Amino acid sequence: GIQVEQSPPDLILQEGANSTLRCNFSDSVNNLQWFHQNPWGQLINLFYIPSGTKQNGRLSATTVATERYSLLYISSSQTTDSGVYFCAVRGSGYALNFGKGTSLLVTP
Amino acid sequence: DAGVIQSPRHEVTEMGQEVTLRCKPISGHDYLFWYRQTMMRGLELLIYFNNNVPIDDSGMPEDRFSAKMPNASFSTLKIQPSEPRDSAVYFCASSLTQNTEAFFGQGTRLTVV
């Protein structure tokens, strides 16, 4: 399957700071999604973004499919942004393949 | 739509017992996926179905694991007999097509003692 690498593995921010999370993948993809796993374990859909740029409030994402990477931007972080952020990709004939995630802690 | 619904939310069972996890996908979604999440291995695909037919079960760890989808609105994942190393969070997800957005249920936290 497609290899997915996320960086950084861990991140600690003070409330109000901005951050960029990166996802590299090893092959062309038909689907790329970003998820937030909250402290209760729920996987929450953030973006479906196989290519291009999308924004949703303080969050935005960009996928450059030709260069096989995606970025998730979090601006003006809040404590409720804490949790693990997963990138997941799907190539031809496969199901979603997840990276190991970026664990984010936002402190007051 | 209520989203993907899984039951139970938590399950504690003794080693050797049979465990059945249940999933109701989003209505109209043709693809259903079962994932397992552990600290050691992260989120890994166990099996997925298209139109109720299993397409790829290469992620099913052992013959003790089986999954069925008797109709478009219901799937089960069964472990028999269960072992402590099966303890994990099991997620079910569904998507309209293979390349559209997938949505996850709240997961079943399984503990085998």
mmCIF file of all heavy atoms in Angstrom, chain A residues 76-107:
data_model
loop_
_atom_site.group_PDB
_atom_site.id
_atom_site.type_symbol
_atom_site.label_atom_id
_atom_site.label_comp_id
_atom_site.label_asym_id
_atom_site.label_seq_id
_atom_site.Cartn_x
_atom_site.Cartn_y
_atom_site.Cartn_z
ATOM 1 N N SER A 76 -4.344 30.533 15.091
ATOM 2 C CA SER A 76 -4.916 30.972 16.379
ATOM 3 C C SER A 76 -5.409 29.777 17.185
ATOM 4 O O SER A 76 -6.588 29.695 17.563
ATOM 5 C CB SER A 76 -6.063 31.958 16.140
ATOM 6 O OG SER A 76 -5.641 33.061 15.372
ATOM 7 N N SER A 77 -4.511 28.859 17.472
ATOM 8 C CA SER A 77 -4.891 27.585 18.087
ATOM 9 C C SER A 77 -5.604 27.792 19.430
ATOM 10 O O SER A 77 -5.336 28.752 20.161
ATOM 11 C CB SER A 77 -3.677 26.687 18.264
ATOM 12 O OG SER A 77 -2.688 27.346 19.031
ATOM 13 N N GLN A 78 -6.495 26.877 19.724
ATOM 14 C CA GLN A 78 -7.253 26.868 20.968
ATOM 15 C C GLN A 78 -7.040 25.530 21.673
ATOM 16 O O GLN A 78 -6.664 24.541 21.031
ATOM 17 C CB GLN A 78 -8.738 27.083 20.669
ATOM 18 C CG GLN A 78 -9.023 28.389 19.955
ATOM 19 C CD GLN A 78 -10.484 28.548 19.571
ATOM 20 O OE1 GLN A 78 -11.302 27.651 19.793
ATOM 21 N NE2 GLN A 78 -10.804 29.690 18.999
ATOM 22 N N THR A 79 -7.304 25.508 22.958
ATOM 23 C CA THR A 79 -7.085 24.262 23.715
ATOM 24 C C THR A 79 -7.926 23.120 23.161
ATOM 25 O O THR A 79 -7.529 21.957 23.217
ATOM 26 C CB THR A 79 -7.395 24.459 25.205
ATOM 27 O OG1 THR A 79 -8.732 24.935 25.345
ATOM 28 C CG2 THR A 79 -6.426 25.474 25.839
ATOM 29 N N THR A 80 -9.070 23.456 22.583
ATOM 30 C CA THR A 80 -9.935 22.415 22.019
ATOM 31 C C THR A 80 -9.362 21.813 20.736
ATOM 32 O O THR A 80 -9.883 20.812 20.232
ATOM 33 C CB THR A 80 -11.326 22.979 21.725
ATOM 34 O OG1 THR A 80 -11.181 24.178 20.944
ATOM 35 C CG2 THR A 80 -12.065 23.302 23.015
ATOM 36 N N ASP A 81 -8.294 22.398 20.211
ATOM 37 C CA ASP A 81 -7.624 21.819 19.040
ATOM 38 C C ASP A 81 -6.727 20.646 19.429
ATOM 39 O O ASP A 81 -6.238 19.928 18.552
ATOM 40 C CB ASP A 81 -6.763 22.876 18.325
ATOM 41 C CG ASP A 81 -7.580 23.995 17.716
ATOM 42 O OD1 ASP A 81 -8.760 23.756 17.363
ATOM 43 O OD2 ASP A 81 -7.054 25.119 17.602
ATOM 44 N N SER A 82 -6.500 20.457 20.704
ATOM 45 C CA SER A 82 -5.637 19.356 21.154
ATOM 46 C C SER A 82 -6.186 18.016 20.686
ATOM 47 O O SER A 82 -7.402 17.836 20.548
ATOM 48 C CB SER A 82 -5.526 19.361 22.684
ATOM 49 O OG SER A 82 -4.885 20.535 23.127
ATOM 50 N N GLY A 83 -5.281 17.085 20.474
ATOM 51 C CA GLY A 83 -5.664 15.755 20.008
ATOM 52 C C GLY A 83 -4.647 15.276 18.990
ATOM 53 O O GLY A 83 -3.535 15.810 18.892
ATOM 54 N N VAL A 84 -5.031 14.270 18.245
ATOM 55 C CA VAL A 84 -4.141 13.716 17.223
ATOM 56 C C VAL A 84 -4.734 13.999 15.849
ATOM 57 O O VAL A 84 -5.930 13.782 15.624
ATOM 58 C CB VAL A 84 -3.945 12.193 17.408
ATOM 59 C CG1 VAL A 84 -2.960 11.662 16.368
ATOM 60 C CG2 VAL A 84 -3.453 11.887 18.817
ATOM 61 N N TYR A 85 -3.884 14.481 14.957
ATOM 62 C CA TYR A 85 -4.293 14.793 13.591
ATOM 63 C C TYR A 85 -3.739 13.723 12.658
ATOM 64 O O TYR A 85 -2.528 13.480 12.625
ATOM 65 C CB TYR A 85 -3.797 16.183 13.190
ATOM 66 C CG TYR A 85 -4.546 17.270 13.915
ATOM 67 C CD1 TYR A 85 -4.210 17.597 15.226
ATOM 68 C CD2 TYR A 85 -5.616 17.925 13.327
ATOM 69 C CE1 TYR A 85 -4.916 18.567 15.921
ATOM 70 C CE2 TYR A 85 -6.331 18.895 14.014
ATOM 71 C CZ TYR A 85 -5.977 19.205 15.309
ATOM 72 O OH TYR A 85 -6.693 20.153 16.002
ATOM 73 N N PHE A 86 -4.651 13.101 11.933
ATOM 74 C CA PHE A 86 -4.273 12.045 11.006
ATOM 75 C C PHE A 86 -4.479 12.487 9.569
ATOM 76 O O PHE A 86 -5.489 13.124 9.230
ATOM 77 C CB PHE A 86 -5.108 10.776 11.240
ATOM 78 C CG PHE A 86 -4.783 10.035 12.495
ATOM 79 C CD1 PHE A 86 -5.603 10.137 13.607
ATOM 80 C CD2 PHE A 86 -3.665 9.221 12.569
ATOM 81 C CE1 PHE A 86 -5.317 9.445 14.768
ATOM 82 C CE2 PHE A 86 -3.366 8.532 13.724
ATOM 83 C CZ PHE A 86 -4.192 8.640 14.832
ATOM 84 N N CYS A 87 -3.526 12.084 8.738
ATOM 85 C CA CYS A 87 -3.657 12.176 7.300
ATOM 86 C C CYS A 87 -3.903 10.755 6.804
ATOM 87 O O CYS A 87 -3.272 9.804 7.283
ATOM 88 C CB CYS A 87 -2.366 12.738 6.713
ATOM 89 S SG CYS A 87 -2.240 12.677 4.918
ATOM 90 N N ALA A 88 -4.831 10.598 5.874
ATOM 91 C CA ALA A 88 -5.124 9.281 5.318
ATOM 92 C C ALA A 88 -5.282 9.423 3.812
ATOM 93 O O ALA A 88 -5.914 10.365 3.338
ATOM 94 C CB ALA A 88 -6.389 8.693 5.944
ATOM 95 N N VAL A 89 -4.719 8.471 3.078
ATOM 96 C CA VAL A 89 -4.762 8.545 1.621
ATOM 97 C C VAL A 89 -5.293 7.253 1.039
ATOM 98 O O VAL A 89 -5.219 6.187 1.654
ATOM 99 C CB VAL A 89 -3.352 8.841 1.034
ATOM 100 C CG1 VAL A 89 -2.776 10.110 1.623
ATOM 101 C CG2 VAL A 89 -2.412 7.672 1.223
ATOM 102 N N ARG A 90 -5.824 7.374 -0.149
ATOM 103 C CA ARG A 90 -6.337 6.202 -0.849
ATOM 104 C C ARG A 90 -5.849 6.249 -2.289
ATOM 105 O O ARG A 90 -6.088 7.218 -2.991
ATOM 106 C CB ARG A 90 -7.859 6.184 -0.803
ATOM 107 C CG ARG A 90 -8.502 4.933 -1.369
ATOM 108 C CD ARG A 90 -10.000 5.071 -1.449
ATOM 109 N NE ARG A 90 -10.628 5.179 -0.142
ATOM 110 C CZ ARG A 90 -11.935 5.362 0.051
ATOM 111 N NH1 ARG A 90 -12.730 5.468 -0.987
ATOM 112 N NH2 ARG A 90 -12.444 5.447 1.253
ATOM 113 N N GLY A 91 -5.147 5.193 -2.692
ATOM 114 C CA GLY A 91 -4.732 5.076 -4.082
ATOM 115 C C GLY A 91 -5.729 4.226 -4.845
ATOM 116 O O GLY A 91 -6.781 3.851 -4.322
ATOM 117 N N SER A 92 -5.380 3.898 -6.054
ATOM 118 C CA SER A 92 -6.279 3.119 -6.895
ATOM 119 C C SER A 92 -6.423 1.704 -6.331
ATOM 120 O O SER A 92 -5.445 1.005 -6.140
ATOM 121 C CB SER A 92 -5.733 3.056 -8.317
ATOM 122 O OG SER A 92 -6.536 2.222 -9.112
ATOM 123 N N GLY A 93 -7.651 1.295 -6.077
ATOM 124 C CA GLY A 93 -7.884 -0.070 -5.637
ATOM 125 C C GLY A 93 -7.649 -0.332 -4.169
ATOM 126 O O GLY A 93 -7.665 -1.474 -3.730
ATOM 127 N N TYR A 94 -7.431 0.712 -3.382
ATOM 128 C CA TYR A 94 -7.149 0.504 -1.962
ATOM 129 C C TYR A 94 -8.145 1.268 -1.104
ATOM 130 O O TYR A 94 -8.840 2.137 -1.559
ATOM 131 C CB TYR A 94 -5.737 0.995 -1.620
ATOM 132 C CG TYR A 94 -4.633 0.285 -2.367
ATOM 133 C CD1 TYR A 94 -4.037 0.883 -3.462
ATOM 134 C CD2 TYR A 94 -4.209 -0.971 -1.969
ATOM 135 C CE1 TYR A 94 -3.041 0.245 -4.150
ATOM 136 C CE2 TYR A 94 -3.202 -1.615 -2.653
ATOM 137 C CZ TYR A 94 -2.618 -1.004 -3.744
ATOM 138 O OH TYR A 94 -1.626 -1.642 -4.424
ATOM 139 N N ALA A 95 -8.147 0.898 0.161
ATOM 140 C CA ALA A 95 -8.903 1.670 1.143
ATOM 141 C C ALA A 95 -7.984 2.749 1.727
ATOM 142 O O ALA A 95 -6.801 2.814 1.402
ATOM 143 C CB ALA A 95 -9.413 0.754 2.251
ATOM 144 N N LEU A 96 -8.527 3.590 2.590
ATOM 145 C CA LEU A 96 -7.745 4.640 3.213
ATOM 146 C C LEU A 96 -6.596 4.055 4.025
ATOM 147 O O LEU A 96 -6.800 3.139 4.818
ATOM 148 C CB LEU A 96 -8.620 5.480 4.139
ATOM 149 C CG LEU A 96 -9.429 6.619 3.534
ATOM 150 C CD1 LEU A 96 -10.303 7.268 4.603
ATOM 151 C CD2 LEU A 96 -8.534 7.655 2.887
ATOM 152 N N ASN A 97 -5.405 4.628 3.820
ATOM 153 C CA ASN A 97 -4.223 4.200 4.545
ATOM 154 C C ASN A 97 -3.775 5.381 5.408
ATOM 155 O O ASN A 97 -3.532 6.474 4.888
ATOM 156 C CB ASN A 97 -3.129 3.813 3.555
ATOM 157 C CG ASN A 97 -2.008 3.051 4.217
ATOM 158 O OD1 ASN A 97 -2.205 2.454 5.269
ATOM 159 N ND2 ASN A 97 -0.839 3.065 3.621
ATOM 160 N N PHE A 98 -3.643 5.153 6.708
ATOM 161 C CA PHE A 98 -3.390 6.231 7.653
ATOM 162 C C PHE A 98 -1.909 6.401 7.981
ATOM 163 O O PHE A 98 -1.158 5.426 8.039
ATOM 164 C CB PHE A 98 -4.121 5.951 8.978
ATOM 165 C CG PHE A 98 -5.580 6.259 8.939
ATOM 166 C CD1 PHE A 98 -6.470 5.396 8.328
ATOM 167 C CD2 PHE A 98 -6.073 7.417 9.507
ATOM 168 C CE1 PHE A 98 -7.823 5.676 8.284
ATOM 169 C CE2 PHE A 98 -7.422 7.719 9.486
ATOM 170 C CZ PHE A 98 -8.300 6.845 8.862
ATOM 171 N N GLY A 99 -1.516 7.653 8.210
ATOM 172 C CA GLY A 99 -0.231 7.929 8.816
ATOM 173 C C GLY A 99 -0.291 7.682 10.317
ATOM 174 O O GLY A 99 -1.348 7.339 10.870
ATOM 175 N N LYS A 100 0.840 7.892 10.986
ATOM 176 C CA LYS A 100 0.906 7.653 12.432
ATOM 177 C C LYS A 100 0.364 8.827 13.239
ATOM 178 O O LYS A 100 0.193 8.719 14.447
ATOM 179 C CB LYS A 100 2.345 7.354 12.848
ATOM 180 C CG LYS A 100 2.884 6.052 12.270
ATOM 181 C CD LYS A 100 4.264 5.741 12.818
ATOM 182 C CE LYS A 100 4.876 4.516 12.163
ATOM 183 N NZ LYS A 100 4.048 3.328 12.292
ATOM 184 N N GLY A 101 0.123 9.941 12.583
ATOM 185 C CA GLY A 101 -0.502 11.067 13.252
ATOM 186 C C GLY A 101 0.478 12.063 13.837
ATOM 187 O O GLY A 101 1.658 11.775 14.050
ATOM 188 N N THR A 102 -0.028 13.261 14.082
ATOM 189 C CA THR A 102 0.687 14.303 14.820
ATOM 190 C C THR A 102 -0.113 14.563 16.085
ATOM 191 O O THR A 102 -1.299 14.907 16.001
ATOM 192 C CB THR A 102 0.800 15.605 14.010
ATOM 193 O OG1 THR A 102 1.672 15.413 12.907
ATOM 194 C CG2 THR A 102 1.318 16.744 14.883
ATOM 195 N N SER A 103 0.534 14.394 17.227
ATOM 196 C CA SER A 103 -0.121 14.629 18.505
ATOM 197 C C SER A 103 0.081 16.085 18.903
ATOM 198 O O SER A 103 1.223 16.526 19.103
ATOM 199 C CB SER A 103 0.450 13.698 19.573
ATOM 200 O OG SER A 103 -0.191 13.923 20.809
ATOM 201 N N LEU A 104 -1.023 16.820 19.004
ATOM 202 C CA LEU A 104 -0.967 18.253 19.300
ATOM 203 C C LEU A 104 -1.525 18.530 20.686
ATOM 204 O O LEU A 104 -2.606 18.071 21.037
ATOM 205 C CB LEU A 104 -1.780 19.026 18.258
ATOM 206 C CG LEU A 104 -1.961 20.525 18.511
ATOM 207 C CD1 LEU A 104 -0.628 21.242 18.458
ATOM 208 C CD2 LEU A 104 -2.939 21.134 17.513
ATOM 209 N N LEU A 105 -0.764 19.298 21.447
ATOM 210 C CA LEU A 105 -1.236 19.780 22.747
ATOM 211 C C LEU A 105 -1.179 21.305 22.730
ATOM 212 O O LEU A 105 -0.117 21.881 22.490
ATOM 213 C CB LEU A 105 -0.369 19.237 23.882
ATOM 214 C CG LEU A 105 -0.715 19.756 25.284
ATOM 215 C CD1 LEU A 105 -2.118 19.326 25.690
ATOM 216 C CD2 LEU A 105 0.307 19.293 26.315
ATOM 217 N N VAL A 106 -2.317 21.923 22.953
ATOM 218 C CA VAL A 106 -2.385 23.378 23.031
ATOM 219 C C VAL A 106 -2.597 23.759 24.486
ATOM 220 O O VAL A 106 -3.584 23.350 25.111
ATOM 221 C CB VAL A 106 -3.528 23.928 22.166
ATOM 222 C CG1 VAL A 106 -3.564 25.461 22.248
ATOM 223 C CG2 VAL A 106 -3.372 23.478 20.723
ATOM 224 N N THR A 107 -1.651 24.532 25.016
ATOM 225 C CA THR A 107 -1.709 24.909 26.434
ATOM 226 C C THR A 107 -2.283 26.316 26.593
ATOM 227 O O THR A 107 -2.101 27.169 25.722
ATOM 228 C CB THR A 107 -0.317 24.861 27.062
ATOM 229 O OG1 THR A 107 0.532 25.788 26.372
ATOM 230 C CG2 THR A 107 0.272 23.460 26.944
#
